[in-house]
Amino acid sequence: MNLYNLGLSGINAANARLNTTAHNINNMDTAGFNRQTVTVSTAGGTLTGSGYFGRGVSVDGVSRQYSSFLYTQLVSARSQQASLATYSSQISQINDLLGTSSEGVSYALEQFFSSVQAVATQPSDTAARQEMLGQAASLATQINEAQRMLDEQYASVNAQVSTQVDQINSYVTRIDNLNQQITSALAASGSQQPNDLLDQRDQLVSELSQLIGVTTSANGASINLTTGGGQVLLSGTTVYPLKAVASAEDPTRTVVAYTMPLTTTDADGVKTSSTVTVEFDESKLTGGSLGGLLEFRSETLDPIRNDLGRLATGLALSFNELNAQGLTLTDEAGGDIFSIGEPTVYSNANNEGSGQVSAVFSDVDGLASSDYSIVYKEDSGYTITRLSDGTSTTYDADAGVIELDGLSITLPDATDGSVADGDKWSLQPTRTIASTLSVSLTDPSGIAAADSEGGTTNNVNALLMGELQSTKVLGGGTLSLTDAYTQIVNKVGVQVQSVTAATTAADNLVTQRLTAQQAVSGVSLEEEQVALLQYAEQYQAASQLISVASELFDTLLGIAS
Amino acid sequence: MRISTSLKYEIGASQINKLQAKQLHLYEQTATGLRVVRPGDDPLAASQAVTVSQSLAANSRFESNRAVASSNLGMADTAVQNSVDVLEAIKGRLVQAGNGSYSASEMQALGAELKSSYAALLTQANATDGNGSYLFSGNQGDTAPYAVDSDGWITGSYQGDAGQRLVQVDQTRQISTSNTADELYGDVFDDLRSVIEALETYDADDAEGFATVLTNAQDSVSGTFDTLVTIGASIGARMNEVSALDAIGSSRSLSYSSQLDDLVGLDEASAYSLVSYYQVALQASTLAFQKIQAMNLFNS
């Protein structure tokens, strides 16, 4: 009789194993699947007069082959890889923009200076003058175009930040759902792990961390999610969604913010709950493609736009300055050849005062390729910080117009109450200025080739213009206009190389860790095939037991009759 | 160590991808003939190439500048040589005028000849280039060095200024392509006018007065003659310098082109051999992957 039960337990065990093997085979290519094995143990023994007789095999459960260490390693490597892949794909667009030397800004600079030389050699030749204006317009167009593509990339990064924030929030919500499903599945089963739900959740966390680096921590059967910098995304069953908002400092910039609940108590002790949106410190948001985007924007895109702007400003201001010193073909003082915009200042959206800061270019040589933050505090006055190296200078509340780094900055008089304590402004002198560069001189005779002595064959001023190709007019006397462009090329090239090298390293790391993780969790078809054969045999053997038991019973019945 | 099946596929595919990416870059290089297609390929070479390219273009522009300088100097040289010839003739005539045995009408005839030499000299002083600018008026190119009245005499004094008309013939060299009429001719026109008028109104009784005017004119002509010869030599020297710079310029152009090629140009031979190499590597990789993938228990 016992033989039936023993056979049954064998069949059940074989069945369980065959099913699990089939499940493994079916899910061989499912992303994030960890192969499952059935754990069995003996069903114990029954004590009889002649000893303990075993009760067969019992299926204890199905467990997934999973190493949380290897999994975490792999997720972190993939997160870094995704970040670099995004950075790399973004920066390669700038790499392409600067690509060929037969077009673009470098060639336009060569042609323009060549045309200036032609005017210097034959200052009364109208054709040479017309050609110089034509080449100036070409150069301005090339610079405008380069800026336009960088601006487009900036807009695209803004859009991608928004999209990715939405995706991140959606993942967090789905992980929250799975947390709840896993918790109830565990409650229902007692101690059996809901393996496939756990696999799904792990896969979601892996995909999320390819969007933004996250750390997980266990919270019972659930997991909590935090970003770099310690901001909680998911805790218990509360989701703290991220938001993509226009930065308070710079309304053109989409940044990531988190919402925090805020409870304020007023003077009567009445509490009001609201939420406050706080912008992230971007340096803390690392990992994943969002991390890569933000890093690209602040490390590469912003500085390159600033550098290009400085080149455009240097070109316009130095030529205009020289032209004003000389005499035109009609013996009048020269006007502007180029026109260029003014530095941009944004008032912080949270400013309580109404005071506005403005700035104009005053000395091209002192221009730094940097942004500035301006803060007013009642006890210390105005503090202006150059963001590229962090140096700050303080000024009095009524300092008025101050000179700094080639800029004339007008600070509003804080003593008349228009400025509140803590008001801030963001000054970006050259960030978007390259798109405003244009040629304003239309009459070729307006080129002031002559110096103050005048005369139609006077080319003294034009010779100085020709020398601008190599005169160090920027960077405190260290950079010529050509040098400024060369620096841009070099900067981009070096960053591309560095990102490419890091990407290769990250790819190799992912391969290594994937191999290690797969060694534990991956499905090997050969292995499953062998298992199929093995468990099929077990099934056949166990069913033999039942057939034998049936024969024995027949035999028993046969004795009786 | 266990190898999962999906890992096999993933690694196989990624190896093939890597090879294909390398091939693609190689195709770009061979199509453009450049080793450095974008700054990221070699940042240092890319930025140095910008500088060398600018120098190459500037070098070419200086060549054009030198052509203009040569042309200007050539015209100045012609005018100076012509002036020297005219002064030579004038010298001869002045000697004749000092003869003392000529009659008044012969003196007047001399005066007339000298007048036409005066006009010839003035034509040279007021010479223009092909574009209507006067050669010897310094910076005042549209002003004649000397204003001329209806009788052909100069009125007033030199009208131009002292400008030198420098031309940028090389990166750090500017050459003056003209001299001013003032430094070339000095007061010779005034002194010539005096002697011509004296000849036209020759009075044998005022021999002493005439001799003074004549001697004055002879000294002036002699001095101007020497000045012109000297400046003519200087013009010649400047033209030689421009030619020398032309020679240097063209060898420099070769040097820059060669530098540029070294920095960013493609070594065709090694590139083409790499093309074959990658093709073979890709084939081998694909074949290996196919074979490995075909081996599994389900198939055999």
Side-chain angles (χ1 to χ4, degrees), chain A residues 96 110 114 457 459 518 522, chain B residues 2 4 38 53 61 65 138 166:
Chain A
D96 289 343
E110 284 169 22
S114 187
T457 45
N459 64 351
Q518 288 286 293
Chain B
R2 295 183 65 251
S4 78
R38 299 180 188 82
S53 180
R61 171 46 63 178
N65 286 359
L166 298 169

Side-chain angles (χ1 to χ4, degrees), chain B residues 29 73 139 281:
Chain B
Q29 287 179 316
L73 286 168
N139 281 332

Side-chain angles (χ1 to χ4, degrees), chain B residues 4-298:
Chain B
S4 78
T5 310
S6 60
L7 187 69
K8 269 195 306 192
Y9 282 94
E10 198 166 317
I11 289 189
S14 92
Q15 294 300 347
I16 292 176
N17 276 343
K18 281 186 193 155
L19 278 173
Q20 283 180 332
K22 286 200 178 129
Q23 243 192 351
L24 191 63
H25 187 237
L26 197 56
Y27 288 156
E28 268 187 326
Q29 287 179 316
T30 51
T32 57
L34 296 171
R35 178 183 66 90
V36 181
V37 179
R38 299 180 188 82
D41 296 341
D42 185 345
L44 189 59
S47 54
Q48 284 176 336
V50 170
T51 312
V52 172
S53 180
Q54 298 264 340
S55 301
L56 187 58
N59 198 48
S60 157
R61 171 46 63 178
F62 293 138
E63 193 183 318
S64 312
N65 286 359
R66 285 193 293 270
V68 173
S70 266
S71 158
N72 288 352
L73 286 168
M75 288 188 282
D77 191 48
T78 307
V80 165
Q81 291 310 318
N82 288 346
S83 302
V84 164
D85 293 342
V86 170
L87 283 177
E88 189 74 57
I90 290 178
K91 267 200 216 175
R93 293 280 171 265
L94 290 177
V95 166
Q96 288 179 330
N99 190 304
S101 61
Y102 279 24
S103 68
S105 62
E106 281 167 326
M107 289 300 234
Q108 276 168 8
L110 263 181
E113 276 183 39
L114 279 173
K115 180 77 197 299
S116 80
S117 293
Y118 178 100
L121 193 64
L122 191 51
T123 307
Q124 296 309 314
N126 278 355
T128 58
D129 64 21
N131 297 332
S133 290
Y134 292 94
L135 289 181
F136 300 126
S137 53
N139 281 332
Q140 307 299 323
D142 56 353
T143 308
Y146 296 110
V148 184
D149 67 16
S150 49
D151 296 323
W153 302 116
I154 68 171
T155 55
S157 54
Y158 172 65
Q159 295 184 121
D161 63 21
Q164 283 191 57
R165 300 201 197 172
L166 298 169
V167 170
Q168 192 83 39
V169 290
D170 198 17
Q171 183 68 40
T172 50
R173 179 82 176 104
Q174 294 172 346
I175 284 190
S176 162
T177 57
S178 78
N179 297 79
T180 64
D182 203 29
E183 66 181 308
L184 286 169
Y185 298 102
D187 294 325
V188 80
F189 287 105
D190 289 337
D191 294 333
L192 274 177
R193 179 177 183 173
S194 302
V195 80
I196 291 169
E197 284 174 337
L199 281 169
E200 284 173 346
T201 58
Y202 185 66
D203 178 4
D205 299 328
D206 187 19
E208 244 182 64
F210 179 73
T212 316
V213 174
L214 183 62
T215 316
N216 207 20
Q218 278 175 318
D219 288 340
S220 190
V221 166
S222 185
T224 302
F225 183 88
D226 290 340
T227 305
L228 284 174
V229 167
T230 310
I231 292 182
S234 141
I235 292 176
R238 277 177 267 161
M239 285 170 80
N240 283 345
E241 188 182 345
V242 170
S243 299
L245 286 173
D246 271 339
I248 295 176
S250 58
S251 85
R252 212 186 271 144
S253 161
L254 278 175
S255 162
Y256 284 141
S257 299
S258 154
Q259 259 184 55
L260 207 50
D261 193 47
D262 283 342
L263 283 172
V264 299
L266 184 65
D267 175 1
E268 256 92 18
S270 60
Y272 292 143
S273 73
L274 271 181
V275 167
S276 323
Y277 170 76
Y278 280 128
Q279 274 177 348
V280 168
L282 196 54
Q283 279 169 3
S285 192
T286 316
L287 197 61
F289 177 67
Q290 281 173 350
K291 291 238 181 277
I292 293 174
Q293 171 256 349
M295 283 189 311
N296 67 60
L297 290 174
F298 286 99

Side-chain angles (χ1 to χ4, degrees), chain A residues 516-537:
Chain A
Q517 186 257 1
Q518 288 286 293
V520 170
S521 310
V523 173
S524 161
L525 269 188
E526 289 76 19
E527 206 179 51
E528 303 302 320
Q529 165 73 327
V530 167
L532 271 182
L533 296 173
Q534 185 182 1
Y535 300 143
E537 276 180 20

Side-chain angles (χ1 to χ4, degrees), chain A residues 6-310:
Chain A
L6 286 171
L8 201 56
S9 89
I11 285 176
N12 283 342
N15 233 359
R17 284 163 150 167
L18 282 169
N19 282 334
T20 305
T21 303
H23 184 68
N24 283 345
I25 292 174
N26 284 338
N27 282 299
M28 184 184 89
D29 283 327
T30 307
F33 178 72
N34 295 288
R35 72 191 171 101
Q36 296 172 355
T37 52
V38 178
T39 42
V40 296
S41 57
T42 80
T46 315
L47 180 61
T48 67
S50 22
Y52 281 99
F53 282 90
R55 289 198 288 265
V57 65
S58 95
V59 176
D60 294 333
V62 184
S63 62
R64 54 178 192 156
Q65 298 306 299
Y66 171 77
S67 158
S68 107
F69 171 71
L70 292 176
Y71 163 76
T72 317
Q73 292 271 56
L74 180 60
V75 165
S76 133
R78 281 218 161 109
S79 175
Q80 181 63 2
Q81 183 191 44
S83 168
L84 286 167
T86 304
Y87 199 134
S88 176
S89 107
Q90 291 292 328
I91 201 175
S92 76
Q93 291 179 43
I94 304 185
N95 200 18
D96 289 343
L97 170 67
L98 295 175
T100 50
S101 57
S102 61
E103 299 138 18
V105 174
S106 173
Y107 181 69
L109 271 173
E110 284 169 22
Q111 295 296 98
F112 172 63
F113 277 111
S114 187
S115 71
V116 173
Q117 285 291 342
V119 171
T121 306
Q122 294 177 300
S124 57
D125 183 4
T126 325
R129 284 165 171 261
Q130 190 64 58
E131 175 71 4
M132 178 173 151
L133 289 185
Q135 291 296 345
S138 256
L139 176 59
T141 306
Q142 286 298 327
I143 291 180
N144 294 153
E145 261 305 291
Q147 181 68 22
R148 186 184 65 82
M149 294 187 63
L150 292 173
D151 286 348
E152 272 179 13
Q153 208 171 1
Y154 181 71
S156 155
V157 167
N158 278 347
Q160 286 179 65
V161 168
S162 288
T163 314
Q164 291 190 5
V165 162
D166 286 341
Q167 287 176 337
I168 289 170
N169 287 340
S170 146
Y171 270 104
V172 174
T173 311
R174 286 159 71 189
I175 293 173
D176 178 43
N177 280 340
L178 270 174
N179 272 346
Q180 290 169 20
Q181 285 181 46
I182 289 169
T183 310
S184 25
L186 262 178
S189 74
S191 60
Q192 298 291 2
Q193 294 290 323
N195 294 317
D196 297 289
L197 290 176
L198 289 171
D199 280 351
Q200 275 181 41
R201 187 174 65 183
D202 285 340
Q203 181 59 19
L204 285 179
V205 170
S206 171
E207 286 171 20
L208 172 62
S209 69
Q210 288 175 52
L211 284 174
I212 182 76
V214 289
T215 14
T216 56
S217 52
N219 182 2
S222 303
I223 55 170
N224 289 346
L225 296 169
T226 26
T227 62
Q231 179 51 34
V232 175
L233 292 177
L234 174 64
S235 171
T237 53
T238 318
V239 172
Y240 297 91
L242 297 177
K243 281 168 130 182
V245 297
S247 168
E249 263 184 24
D250 175 355
T252 68
R253 195 181 186 82
T254 306
V255 294
V256 185
Y258 56 91
T259 35
M260 261 175 38
L262 183 69
T263 319
T264 46
T265 320
D266 67 10
D268 301 324
V270 178
K271 292 190 201 276
T272 350
S273 317
S274 55
T275 55
V276 61
T277 307
V278 182
E279 291 177 24
F280 266 100
D281 172 0
E282 276 184 7
S283 62
K284 299 270 172 42
L285 277 181
T286 55
S289 63
L290 182 61
L293 267 183
L294 297 174
E295 216 180 309
F296 162 74
R297 183 167 65 180
S298 60
E299 266 182 28
T300 301
L301 190 56
D302 289 345
I304 296 293
R305 285 164 92 208
N306 279 351
D307 284 346
L308 185 64
R310 183 173 63 164

